[in-house]
Structure formats: structure tokens, C-alpha cells
Amino acid sequence: MKNVLLFVLFLTTTFLGYGQKEVSGTIVDASDVPLAGVTVMVKGTTNGTASDFDGNYSITVEEGQVLEFSYIGFTTKEVTVGTSNTINVVLEEDVQSLGEVVVVGFGTQKKVNLSGAVNNVSVEQLDTRPINNVTQGLQGISPGLNIDFNSGAPGANPVVNIRGFTSINGGNPLVIIDGVPSDVSLLNLIAPEDIESISVLKDASSAAIYGARAAFGVLLITTKTGSKEKTSIRYNTYVTLGTPTVVPEKTTDPYIYLALQRLSEDNTPWTGVGTSAERLSWARERSDNPLSTVGVRESINNPGLWEYMGNENWTNYFLSNNTYSQNHNLSFTGGSEKVSYYLSASHNKHNGSLKIADDYFSRTGLRSRINVQLNDWLSLGNNTSYLISKRKNPSYFNIQTLYNFAPTDWDKNPDGSWANTDVGWMGARLTDGGNETGKTNTFQTTFDTQAWLIKDILKVNAEYTLRKEHYNYDANYAKFQIGYGPDDVREEGINEVWKRFSDEQYQVLNIYGTFNKNFGDHALTLLGGYNQEESRYDYVTLNRDAVISSSLPTLELATGTLYGNQYIRSWALRGLFYRANYIYKDRYILELNGRYDGSSRFPKDKRFGFFPSVSLAWNVANENFMKSLYPTLNLLKFRASYGSLGNQDVGYDKLNDGSFDYIPSMGSDLSDYIIDGELPLKITAPGIVSNNYTWEEVVSKNVGVDLGMFNNKFNASFDYFVRDTKGMLTLGKDLPAVLGASEPKENAGDLRTKGWELSLSYQNNFGNPNNPLRFSAKFNLSDSKSTITRFDNPNNSLLQYYEGMEIGEIWGLTSDGFFRSQEEIDALDETSIIPWGALEIVEGWPKYVDLDGNQKIEKGLSADDPKDMKVIGNMLPRYRFGLNLNFDWNNFDLGVFLQGVAKRDYYPRDYLYWGFYQQPYSGGYEHLQDFYRASDDSADRVANHSQSYINAGLANANTDARYPVLQAWLADRNLGERLDQAQGLAIPQTAYLLDGSYLRLKNITFGYTIPNKFTKNMGISSVRLYFSGDNLFEWSQIADFFDPEAVSDINERINPAYSAPRGETSGYQYPYQRKYSFGVNVNF
Amino acid sequence: MKKVFNISILMVLALVSSCNDDFLERLPETEIVADNFFNTEEDLSIYINGLYSFPGFGMYYADEATDNSATTGNREIKTIMTTEANSNTITSGWDWNYLRNINLFLENSPKADVSEEIRNHYDGVARFFRAQFYMGKIKRYSNVPWYDTVLTTDSEELYKASDSRDFVIEKIFEDYQFAIDHVLEDQPQGAVNKWLVLAYASRNALFEGTYRKYHDELSLAGTANTYLQMASNFSKQIMDSGNFSIYNTGNPNSDYYTLFSSEDLTSNPEVIFTNINIANVKDSGAWSGVFGNYEMSPARDLVESYLMADGTFLSDQPNYETLTFVEEFTDRDPRLSQTYAFPGWELIYVTNYSSGAANYVQQLNKNFTGYHQIKGFTNSLDQDFRNDVDVPVFRYAEVLLTHAEAEAELGSVSQSILDATINELRSRVGMPTLTMSVASDPVQAARYPNVSSPVLLEIRRERRVELALEGRRLEDLNRWKAGKLMEKEPRGLYFPGLGKYDLTGDGIEDIILLGASDVVPNPEDRETNSLDVTLIYYRAGTIGEDVDVYLTNGSSGYVIATPERGTFEEPKDYYRPIPATEVTLNPNLEQVFGWD
């Protein structure tokens, strides 16, 4: 009580001691030029003003308070108010933006001193808008960093790429998190809020220090560290409601569906589905009188069985319109002179779109980062994380099946059992057919130490990391009940249990020394080090049939034979690396990087490679002759680099990682034939391995320019690069099939990628200087294009890569509308492209331009003689861009983020687009109703049609149609998609080539920060509330059929030799979501 | 501080100096390198297991697109006959991986530390598989390059020309002979033994003998008898062994059917080789589509080739060409009703592709014959049973048929041979015996104009009937040079006109055929039969009309199934083209008989 009294007394005297007064002055820059619009704030209050055109200001303050002078492009200056009533201020040009530090391999560099192509990514977006993982936040924000989500499934990882097509073997950027090589899936388990900085190393000179694994760039991630200040606590949370973006528009009218299905079949020589007159008449009644006609009844011709006539879009039955997701992140950061720490815990649960069963991905992470300064030259640190992820969904979940249901299907019988239809079976399977759960636990710890051998000049770092990743997958298939008829419910399905688990142990050791000293105008940095890595991956899969009880689906409680497989993969890398950086007068920069690397993935005599690089930069703005332009032009820097890197990333995934590809070995499996009552073991023959098998070499050249103007209000950066991927491991010379084995991979192909990147940014304050509207805009645009420069394909076969081929090109026919008469059909022989060799060419059939003028439409299979084929488009995305706009005003903030691809072609080949044209088993898309009808239906046909069919105009002639005569199998892809296999509309053609470009309103976030005065009494230093919308809108032709991002699953299809398996279709993706979120950021 | 520095330097040096040591040497642990294998008998046996290749349930639908069975699906012979097929469109079959796997074994087996007898046994099995592989190639391409070593990427032989049929066939029968001489007789259930080798050798010797005899384009007729004699000898060896007999428990109406719907055939005396299925160990792959209206439907032509139960020809019956469904199943060879769904047959296993339960009413559909196949259809609700059903890959019945045919082709067939072969099969189903004095059936004779012997014609009939819908028909037509038979339009059930029909054989109508312009009444207005079951309504018409079933005369005639059968071009269509891409890679390869 006494203390309180004293405190009140103190406050009172303080208040009395410092009276309010008017302070004024002039603000100028270093050259004595008055600065207008400088914000003058009393620190810790909302009291503020701005300087006028002549740089003058005045403000009412109390003595002892602090004035804050801030202006874009200049460093903020603070002046404590003393007794004087005049405070004149000289603002220094903001060296902070020039002094900005960028994380590079094994160190940091001042941004201004960079000579390679390095982009420092803004990480603000990662915790101010609701994203489920880091890569979602990175999409579209850095030029040349390409992030494609091939699926909207919860927990789906994107393809991350730097600077476009890399190698025909694939080849991804190296992801390094806190100095430890990782991968995208691991990156996506880290809470975005824990990220401190991200650098994208794009050219050889910046990536060369990572040698063998960095051929296609590096994504350098640094997580947050502790501070030397008192503890601050931060809590972020949001909740999200998601709804699918694009779901195919399907016909729900049962008569239209069945009548068109029947028509599509009647126009072929086959009956696969067969719709009886009786079903059609029921469908007509259902369509005309949906309320008075039942949809399920006991079969008339087969008493004892149910029969069905639904009228629903069953996609909506299974996919939900609002799935709920949530995110929490809590972090503590702080420390003292000696110790600093950062601790965080996070949890994110992302629910998928499936309505009737669990379908989600969750991640939970704990991080601890501690650094101890033992004495003035030695520090120790530890960085440990434990990450848990879980993916759960029903065992039978298959998104393609969900899209394909006929509207005439049905879900449940009158007795409540699942109907004997595809929909009913799927419903039963999803709810009772068992679940699969995949869990990954990743533990990683890094011990590091830094010793200054010569203070501020020479230091040595050592880091050791151990990572253990455990994967545990459980699945079971359980029997389920299907109602065949009244009092006839049968058990169907299997009782089977699956278990998979894997253990991966990965270790890295890095030791490196750094020397850094300035000699007058000369600055020299030397770095040299050693790196070794090893990994061992052990994967086991087990399964057993005949589970006794589906409620206890374990291996132990099953009576079938127990089957098991085990796969072990291991690899090791060892390398020496260096960097020498020399800077003269802050103007001329020379940097040499290099690495000598050995990999266990290559034969002993071809194991090592040396990968050097050099880069130069000239900081023109620092030259004396440019001073006159200052500060209008405050940065102008030219950069150039050249270097080579190795690519050892020749595998696809952990199981097919290329570890032993140079060793011909024989795998084992169970035989397909029972001998003596059981399936014995079998061994498969070894493949052929080439003698010519070593690193792919990637040589890249880069030139760039950086520009800063108007005191850095405007910044621009441009890079142009040429990247040669040499000796790509691929099938060498095409050999006769009598060889009897797949041709071995060897270093046989070359590829050249050219591209450029542009980024522009602008920031400024507007409006009332007392309360300015802060605005910033960032725009980035990039492009690249790849061409095969060497490939052993002497005949330029279009079924292989060939020299001069542009990657992604689509060969196809040129549409010439439809055949409109028998004379036209007779005049042009299109028989060679008839699917299955058996459809009939009739009026309304697609007609093509006879490019070679021989009155025949034929596919040529060689680029030398393509007959009627030509390149009609390219499936690779071009001109990717992102635009980020931010507004800040009076505690309100608004961010708008647009992202897109300006050029891309997509040729559709699946049910989602072609429906009955593909096969009569599935279809009924509304867009396909605009098909060619040569004549009106006859009167007795019309009499049988439903009113809906007549109203839709389907009984009338339609010769001005978008789609050809309705012929099933005309667009069938089951013959294959490869050029020699594709027939009919499965051959790409110009009329149905879709424009895959898009502009997407990726995110809008509107936030409000509650003024400090309301919250500080609660011990809260700031609270921000926000509403956010993701994927709100897209401008795109393709979005009528597919989510525009769903067509990026083309990686395999780029290869002209690729023959897609029957089940594998493109564009058929798990739905992407529009998301509406509410979130809170709290700082204590 | 200096110490730390020194230690660091030393550490770096120590690590670097051992750069190319074991650290970078990682070897597979769950795969084996060839150098470390082929050491023991078990190694040989495990590798041989990987070479096994025998038909499964697929054999029951392999007769599609022949005169036995129509199909709406895609079959190579159908594509060849109906399109302008060439070496760019017909590209399957030129696959050589299997041969390399076999030759790799034969090159490595000498390493194994096993007795000569054991090595020869496994070598014999490998050579048996090689003979099988090359017979497959001969049947498609006639001339193919012969390789008995493992090729490498720089082998010159990659570019060699095809060897002649004669040369390759000799090599094949050397392999068979080696296998016959060395593969052991006594092997576990499901493993290759000497008898299986003999069975395949006899089948393929008969193939080659008859092929040479009838295919004059080869100019090898002079050597036909060598192989016919071989076929006779091989089959005789099996017959003389006494190890096998026709499965005959005295139930002529079910014994035959049992062979194709049995959970365990391993102890069946007739089955020389079983593809064994055990539920939850290896599921059978039995497919209900073989019965239903998926793609295939057996043809009327096959129905007509069964004899009457009294041994007389169907063509002796008045109006035999216009018998209705119930009539044509009356008093026939009992094998017909064990192959086709007959009037009154009960459907138990109902799936999405077929409708109806209990007494099955033949479902009619456009492009299907209306006949349904029950051979190879596992008609049971019990999933474990369906998964358990074994496949009789090679039946002793075929060995008997082979022997009879070889002897007949050689001109040395006798009543005792017929009794030991054909009449064994007939006795199982209670059919009268075939005698040397059999008359000539004009219908059968018209099928094979190049055969004059009535006995041989009847042997061919017996073969077609006994092996119906087991996937042997296309090869038989090919070797008899009877490909033209596939041009015949496949027909289905015969309906003399519109109206009501009994399809279940109880004399009560089950379906009603309406005309194309008739309207199907609403359910409550439909007629019921005397059992109070609603009739099934169909509208019949000609192709192109909006109806449910096509009849040859619109309102009467045969059900039409996939009418377009195209042209069988002789001799070209007995062969297949080498894929164009392969000829480009190796111009020494030549296409045969008009392929381009």
C-alpha cells in the first residue's frame, strides 16, 4: 500500500514536471534539400504530424518525450524533446535497405554486395494470412520460384521449381532449412509463423557451394531465433471454412442423361451399357413428374431386387460445401546477454472436402532453438524440432470415382441400407469399408558451434545434424452391407489389413571456416569447408487377409497368409566447398564459388565431380560520375555469373531414389503361381546398366540488373539466364526390342533453358501526412522456355524427345469444323484416325485441315514428316506472375494478392471434359449438350421425350454446334494418349485446345490492429484481427471445367514417349478450396 | 583457441583424406546382385519361379471374335479384319524380355553347386519356357531371329535378320526334347513336370504339322508329317504313362462342367496342369463379365456344331436353322448345356452386368447374341468360392484330341485309336461312340472344304465342342487355314416373329417382342404370365432403329450381334506385322506375306 502511494506520488510529480509545449523545425536530407511529407510522431502515442512542402513541421509534445521522424527511403530518426522549442533534423538516406542482409550458403551477405541471382522472399505473408503450409504462402511471390499444387487434397505437397523445366529426369531445387538439406514435405510441416527468412538461390554462382544437389537452385529457409531482449509471447490462430472451387457441372435430369447416353451408344457399333426402353420410360416420368414418381422401387422384371432412378448430382452428395480447418501457433522468444531462445508449438488441421467420412491432414510441431554465448569467442547452439503429421481418409476414397457417378444412381434403399448402385457402393465403402491413416514423426536436432579464432576476422563453424523420420501407415478394408432388395441385404467386400512403416536416418556434418577482412578499399571474404551426408531408408510393408473382426483390424487378428516386403535404400555424399568474395570500393565485386563432390549413386570411377562458378557485379550508382543522379537513382548494379553444377537427383521418391541404379540387381517378389499350396518366392532378372553413367552437368549463365530509384521508393530487378543441362541420364540410343530389357539410362541428352525474371516494387505514403495511407505494391513476372539440344533420335520420331523440340509442345490436328455432307466425307479420308477402327464417320464428325494436301488426314510420327500434324500449343506455363498490394491506414491493413499464368495450353482427354464422347459409362456434362444434330427428331421420337429434353432443345437440329455428333468412344483415351496411340478426339486438335492461362484472386486479407491503449492494460502489446479469403475468384477459360491449377499434373506427359496408364488421367484432381477465414495475431 | 583451430584443421584433413573410402560405397541390401546368386538349388528354383507363365481365367474369353463368340470389344483379329491394319497399328507381341530372362538363367545355371540331374531339370524347365516363348513368336511372325544368349547393348546380333521358320522350329523342338528328357516327372502340385512339357510339345507339334500341311504359302508341306508324327508320339507317351484319365464319375450332365467350376483340380486325374487358386492366398480373378453383357456373347454357330444326344447331326433335323432357343437345347450333346446357359438354368451370382435371378431369362441386347456362357462363370454368391476356383490349364482331353487328329492327318487313324481318344470324351457325357464309318455332315464339310475325311471332320467337331470357349479356337482356325470362317456374321437366338416367347423351357412365356413403332406400356399396364410374373418387353427392329434388339428381318429372324466382321485376307491375316518402329531400327527384319 505504501508502495502504491509512492508510485502515485511519483506519477503526479512527473506529470507536473513536464509541461506540454509546441516544438517546430525543418527537416532536410544530407544535401540540405527540404523533405516534404516526413511523418513526425510522438513515440508510443498516436500523436503525429507531417512536414510541409518546405520541410517545416510543428507539434505539441511534452519534454522528455521522443519524436520519431520517418520517411520512406530514409532511416527513422528519434530525438528526445529537451528544453529547446526548435528541433531541426537531417535525415540520412536509408542505408538499411542497402545494408539488408541476405542469407546465402554457409553465411550471409549484404544484399547490395550480391553478385549472383538471389532473391530474398518477403515472409510477411506467412503469418498475416491463413495458409496451411509454407509453400502455399510462397506461391506467386518470388519471380522464378514456381509452385504448382497438383491437388487440393489436405496435406498435398506442391511441385516446387526454380526457373522452369530442369531435366527430363526431373530435378528439384534443394531445400535447406537452417543449414540442413530437407525436402518440400518437411518444409510444409514447419509452421509458417516460425520462418524468419527465405532466400531463393537461382544461378550457378549462388548455388555452387551446394554442388551436387543444387543443380536446379536452392530454397534457403531460416527459422526464427531468440533475442537478447525480455521474453515476448506471440499467439496466432485462425479458423477457415472451405468450399470446393470448381466442381464439374453435371446433368441431373435422368431422362436427358439416359437419352444422351443411349444416343451416344446408338451412334457406335457397340452396346456397352444398354439402356432399355423400360428404364427410359421411367426416367421420363421421373423427369416430368419428379414428385409423384418414385426413385427407388422393387424391380418389375426381377422381383426381389431394387431398381433405381435418381436425379441428383452425386458429386455434391459426397463433397462438402463447408469444411472446417484451424490453426494455432504459440511462440516464446527472448533471452539475455549470454543465452537466447525461441520456442514454439503449432497445430494445424486441414479438413478435406469429403462429407461422409473423416478426411483430413494435421500437423503438430514443436521447435526449440537455443544459443549460448560461452565467452567472447565461442558459442554453442542447438536447434531441435519434433514434427508430427497425420493423414486420415477412408480406404476406398477415390476422387475420380466421385466425379463419375450417373445422376440416375441412388444412395439408400427404403430400408436404410446402401443401394446397389455405384453411389450406394461408394457410400458403403466410405463409411464402413475401413480407413487409412498415415502418420509421420520427424525428429531433428542440430548441434552447432561457432568459434572466433581471430575476433571479427576468422571464425570456424561446425554443425552436426541427426534426423529420424518414422512413417507409420495403417489401413484396413472392411466388409460392408449392400441392400440388393427388400429383405436381401448382402455382405460385400474384403477384410484385409495393411501396415507399412519406414525408418529413415539422416546425418549431416558441416565444418567450415570464414575469413573476412577489409584492407582499405578492398574487402575480402574467404570461406572453405567440408560437408558429408548419409541416409538410410528402411521401408517395410505387411498385409494380411481375412481379418476376424473389422473393429479390430490388426495383423494379429487375421487368418490369411501374412505377406511382407522390405526395401532398404542408402546413399552418401561427401564434398569440399569454397567461396572467395572480393569487393573493391563497394563498386566492383568478384566472387568464386565451387565444390568438389562425391556421390555413392555413381560407380566408383565416376563418383566425383568438380563444380566451379564465377560471378561479377558492378555497382554503378556508387561511381562518382553517377553522384549527380542521386537520390533519383540510388542503386544501379549490373551482375553476371557463369558456373556449373552437378545433378545427382535421378530418382523419383524415397523408394525409387536412384540409389543403386548403377548396379544391376535382382528384386524379389512372390510368384504369381501357387506351388505346393503357397506362393513361392521369385526373383526377377537384373536390368541392363550402362557404362556411361555419371552426373548430369548443369551449366548456367546469368546476367542481371538491380535498380533503386527515388530513395528506394521504386525498385526493380531483372535477370536473364541460359541454363544448359548436359548429359541428362536418359535412354540412350533407341535399341531393337530383341535386347529384351529396358534400355539403360546413360548421360545421353542435352537441354537448354532460357528465361528471365522481372520484379518491380513501389512503396509510398499518401494522403493526410498526420495519418498517411501507406501503400506498397510488388509485382513479379517470369518466363522460361526449354529446348532439347541433343538426343539420340536420328529419325526425329515424335514418340521420343528430338533435337529442337520445345519442351511441353503439343502436336495435334487443325480443326476445320465438322463434316456437313456425305460429299465432304467422301472428299477427305479420315479413316486412319477412327478410334478402335470401328466408328463410322458421319455428318457432324470432326473435320481437319489437310496440311499435306493428300486428301487424307493422318498422324505423322516424325517431326520430319508430320503429315497433318503440327505443334498447336504448349502445355508448360509461361509468364507466371504475382501482384501483391498492401494498404495500411489508421490501424487497418488490407492485402490483395493476385497470381496467375499468362500463357498455357491444355488439351483435355478425360470424362470431366468429354463425358459420353469418351465412353458411355460416365458423362452428362451440361456443356456437352451443345452437340451437332443434323436434323430434328421425328415426331414419334419426340413423343417419347421428356419435357426437359425438349426444353433443352435436344430434340432439335443443331448444326451450329460446339461439339461434334454425339458418338461414344470418339474421344476415348483408353487406346492411349501417346501420339501413335491416340485416335479420334484423343488426338489433340485446335478446336478443343483449352486456354489454360488464369488470373486468380489468391487472397484478400483485411485486418485491424486494436490500438495499444486498449490492450496494454491486459499485458498485451498488440492484437490484430483479420478476415481473409483465399482463391476467391479466377479469370480463366479453363475454369468452366477444371480448377485452373488442377491441370498442372503434366510432368510425365511432357515426355513424348510416355504412355499414360488407363487409370491415370490429367485434370481429375482432388478439389481445390475457396477459403474464408478469421484470424487473430496476439503479441504479449 | 589455437588448439581448437588445430583440431578443426585436423578433423577436416582426416575426413577429406578418406574421401573415396567405404563411406561412399553403398550397396543394395534388399536386392541381390547376379554375381551372388545362382549358387544353390534353391536359387535356381526361385529364379525359375519368375519364369512361370500360364493362362488364368482369361482363357474363357479368349475365343472372342472367332466363330465361337461375338464381341463388341477389341480383339486383334477383329481389328485386322475390319480396318486397314498395318505395322503401325498392329504393334503388340514383339516383346523379348521373357527370352532374356530365360537365357540369363541358362547362362548362369552352370555356376550352381548342384548335381547334374538337378541342373538339367532346371535347365529343362527353362528351355521348355524358351520353346513356349518361341512358339508364340512363330505363330505370329513365322520367321523370327533366334537368340540363345543374353544380348548386350552393343551386341551385333541386335541387328540380325530373322531366321527361317524351319530353323527356329528345329531349335524349339530341340528345347522341348531336352526338357522331355530331363525335367523330372515327380514335382510338387503346380510345378512344371515332364508330363506338362510333353503335353505342350504335342500341342505345338500338331500345330506345326497341320500348319505346314495346309499353309502352302510356306512350301513346307513336305515336312508336315515329321511334326504330325511327333505330335502323335508325344501324346502317346502321356497316354501310355497311365497317369491321366478323363474325369468321369458317371454323371454325364455335370462331370464336364465340374472341370471349370471346381475349387480344387490338383487331384483331378484329367488335369495335367492346374493354375491353382486359393482364396486369400491367390484369388482366382474369376470375372462375372464372362457371363453377362459386357463384351462377349457366344454364337449360334457354335450351338449348331454340337451333335444331337443320339449322335446324329443337327443338320439332320428338319428346320434345324430356325429352331427357337428352347427347341435347340432339346436333346443335344450334354456338353452344350454345360457350356451355355440353357433354358431353365439358374442364375445365382447377380452383378451389375446381368439382371435377373433364379431361372434365368436370356437377356437380349443390341449387339449381343442373347446366348450366355457359363463355362468359366463362377455362379456362386460365395466370394471365397469364386476366388478359389482353379483353372484347368492343360487337360488330358486335349492330349487325346491331339493324338486322334495327328493320327487322322497321318492317315493312320483306326477304330481302336478313336476308342482310346474321342470315345473316351464321348463316354463321359454319355454320347454314342464315333466310328470309322461315320457319314459326312454337309454343314461340317462346308466349313472345312480342304478336308475330305468324315472321320477327320468329326475329330475337328469333337475338338471344337470339347474345348469350346477355352481359348483354343483362333489357333485351330489358323492352323487349319480356316480363317475365312471368321467372316461369318455372328448370330444369336432365332425368333420367327414378334410376340411372346418362353425362354426358360417351362412352356410359359417370359418375354414379349414388340415392333419398332410400338410403345412399351407403363409398368402397371404390362402383361403378366400364368405365374403372375410381368413379361419383359423388348422392341425389335433393324439396325439403326430406336429399339432394344436387332433382328435380321426386323420383326423376325436372328438376333444380330456386331455385324461388321470384315474380310479375312489369306494368307496375310494368319500372320502379324513386325512393328514398324522395329523395322526402322533394324532394316534387316522383313515383313512376311504382304504386311507393310
Side-chain angles (χ1 to χ4, degrees), chain A residues 318 356 394-397 401 405 411-413 416-435 476-484 488-496 547-551, chain B residues 349 352 381 383 386:
Chain A
F318 289 102
I356 63 172
S395 301
Y396 284 101
F397 190 19
T401 319
F405 293 124
D411 58 341
K412 286 189 171 173
N413 297 317
S417 59
W418 287 104
N420 184 22
T421 65
D422 290 347
V423 166
W425 278 67
M426 182 52 80
R429 283 176 164 148
L430 293 182
T431 50
D432 304 324
N435 289 297
N476 74 300
Y477 294 90
K479 297 202 175 193
F480 46 86
Q481 309 275 324
I482 296 294
Y484 279 78
D488 183 7
V489 177
R490 300 182 200 168
E491 189 164 72
E492 294 284 353
I494 51 173
N495 262 340
E496 197 173 68
V547 174
I548 297 166
S549 160
S550 60
S551 59
Chain B
Y349 179 44
N352 290 342
L381 287 180
Q383 181 175 288
R386 298 200 301 268

Side-chain angles (χ1 to χ4, degrees), chain A residues 36-90:
Chain A
V38 177
T39 306
V40 184
M41 296 289 289
V42 180
K43 196 176 179 186
T45 72
T46 52
N47 181 16
T49 184
S51 58
D52 63 16
F53 189 74
D54 299 320
N56 297 322
Y57 76 96
S58 80
I59 189 166
T60 306
V61 288
E62 293 158 17
E63 247 175 69
Q65 283 186 316
V66 177
L67 285 182
E68 218 176 50
F69 300 88
S70 58
Y71 189 55
I72 287 168
F74 289 77
T75 40
T76 300
K77 192 162 187 172
E78 294 182 1
V79 179
T80 309
V81 178
T83 48
S84 169
N85 287 349
T86 304
I87 298 177
N88 293 327
V89 176
V90 180

Side-chain angles (χ1 to χ4, degrees), chain A residues 672-736:
Chain A
D672 305 323
Y673 297 90
I674 290 179
I675 296 180
D676 229 3
E678 60 182 26
L679 292 177
L681 200 64
K682 70 173 179 184
I683 286 269
T684 53
I688 299 183
V689 171
S690 168
N691 298 324
N692 180 8
Y693 188 88
T694 185
W695 309 84
E696 294 182 12
E697 193 191 4
V698 178
V699 176
S700 79
K701 303 168 196 126
N702 190 89
V703 290
V705 57
D706 300 318
L707 181 70
M709 293 179 76
F710 314 115
N711 289 315
N712 282 327
K713 277 183 194 159
F714 174 74
N715 278 286
S717 189
F718 181 81
D719 278 90
Y720 173 78
F721 69 90
V722 176
R723 181 175 61 203
D724 286 299
T725 308
K726 294 182 178 173
M728 290 187 290
L729 282 169
T730 180
L731 307 180
K733 197 176 160 69
D734 213 357
L735 293 171

Side-chain angles (χ1 to χ4, degrees), chain A residues 519-536:
Chain A
F519 307 91
D521 286 338
H522 312 271
L524 184 64
T525 306
L526 298 172
L527 181 146
Y530 169 80
N531 157 276
Q532 74 172 36
E533 296 171 42
E534 62 180 317
S535 164
R536 188 167 190 277

Side-chain angles (χ1 to χ4, degrees), chain B residues 115-175:
Chain B
S115 70
E116 206 54 32
E117 186 193 15
I118 294 299
R119 188 192 329 281
N120 282 338
H121 165 72
Y122 287 106
D123 279 0
V125 176
R127 290 183 69 170
F128 161 67
F129 285 129
R130 184 165 69 189
Q132 299 285 89
F133 169 86
Y134 263 110
M135 273 317 296
K137 288 282 176 285
I138 288 287
K139 285 170 186 173
R140 293 179 66 85
Y141 307 104
S142 204
N143 304 329
V144 281
W146 170 264
Y147 298 105
D148 50 15
T149 56
V150 176
L151 301 180
T152 63
T153 52
D154 41 20
S155 299
E156 281 177 22
E157 296 101 306
L158 288 174
Y159 300 97
K160 81 176 205 174
S162 292
D163 291 299
S164 73
R165 182 183 186 110
D166 204 27
F167 174 81
V168 177
I169 287 286
E170 261 181 48
K171 288 288 185 187
I172 289 171
F173 282 92
E174 277 173 27
D175 276 349

Side-chain angles (χ1 to χ4, degrees), chain A residues 911-1051:
Chain A
Y911 284 137
L912 275 187
Y913 186 83
W914 284 116
F916 295 136
Y917 284 102
Q918 197 182 31
Q919 287 170 344
Y921 312 122
S922 169
Y925 296 101
E926 303 229 327
H927 66 270
L928 297 178
Q929 292 183 9
D930 185 11
F931 63 90
Y932 191 96
R933 296 182 286 276
S935 59
D936 293 343
D937 279 359
S938 63
D940 44 319
R941 271 207 172 184
V942 171
N944 279 316
H945 289 322
S946 70
Q947 196 56 42
S948 58
Y949 193 89
I950 294 162
N951 291 350
L954 293 166
N956 300 337
N958 180 24
T959 53
D960 185 25
R962 167 95 181 101
Y963 295 97
V965 58
L966 188 59
Q967 212 175 40
W969 291 283
L970 181 55
D972 193 9
R973 68 175 284 283
N974 277 347
L975 284 161
E977 291 185 9
R978 207 173 57 202
L979 208 53
D980 57 329
Q981 300 168 329
Q983 292 287 74
L985 289 173
I987 307 168
Q989 59 123 297
T990 51
Y992 306 113
L993 187 71
L994 296 177
D995 179 354
S997 65
Y998 70 93
L999 166 63
R1000 179 159 236 172
L1001 180 51
K1002 201 78 190 164
N1003 178 265
I1004 293 186
T1005 300
F1006 179 67
Y1008 178 66
T1009 306
I1010 299 174
N1012 182 262
K1013 59 186 174 190
F1014 297 123
T1015 56
K1016 73 179 170 192
N1017 290 340
M1018 295 184 282
I1020 294 171
S1021 62
S1022 79
V1023 178
R1024 176 173 171 267
L1025 310 172
Y1026 64 87
F1027 292 94
S1028 181
D1030 273 88
N1031 292 333
L1032 290 180
F1033 194 76
E1034 47 278 322
W1035 292 265
S1036 171
Q1037 185 200 22
I1038 205 169
D1040 292 341
F1041 318 103
F1042 306 93
D1043 186 287
E1045 292 185 66
V1047 299
S1048 55
D1049 54 344
I1050 50 168
N1051 290 8

Side-chain angles (χ1 to χ4, degrees), chain B residues 234-284:
Chain B
F234 290 151
S235 48
K236 192 77 170 54
Q237 282 184 57
I238 301 171
M239 291 158 68
D240 289 348
S241 75
N243 286 338
F244 305 99
S245 60
I246 293 302
Y247 176 69
N248 185 349
T249 65
N251 296 302
N253 291 318
S254 64
D255 281 347
Y256 178 74
Y257 179 76
T258 302
L259 288 165
F260 314 105
S261 189
S262 170
E263 284 179 283
D264 183 13
L265 289 176
T266 54
S267 52
N268 190 301
E270 184 178 332
V271 183
I272 297 176
F273 188 81
T274 311
N275 193 338
I276 303 165
N277 296 310
I278 301 174
N280 296 327
V281 177
K282 181 195 166 194
D283 291 341
S284 68

Side-chain angles (χ1 to χ4, degrees), chain A residues 215 371 441 581 760 789:
Chain A
N371 195 64
N441 293 352
N581 179 290
L760 304 171
T789 49

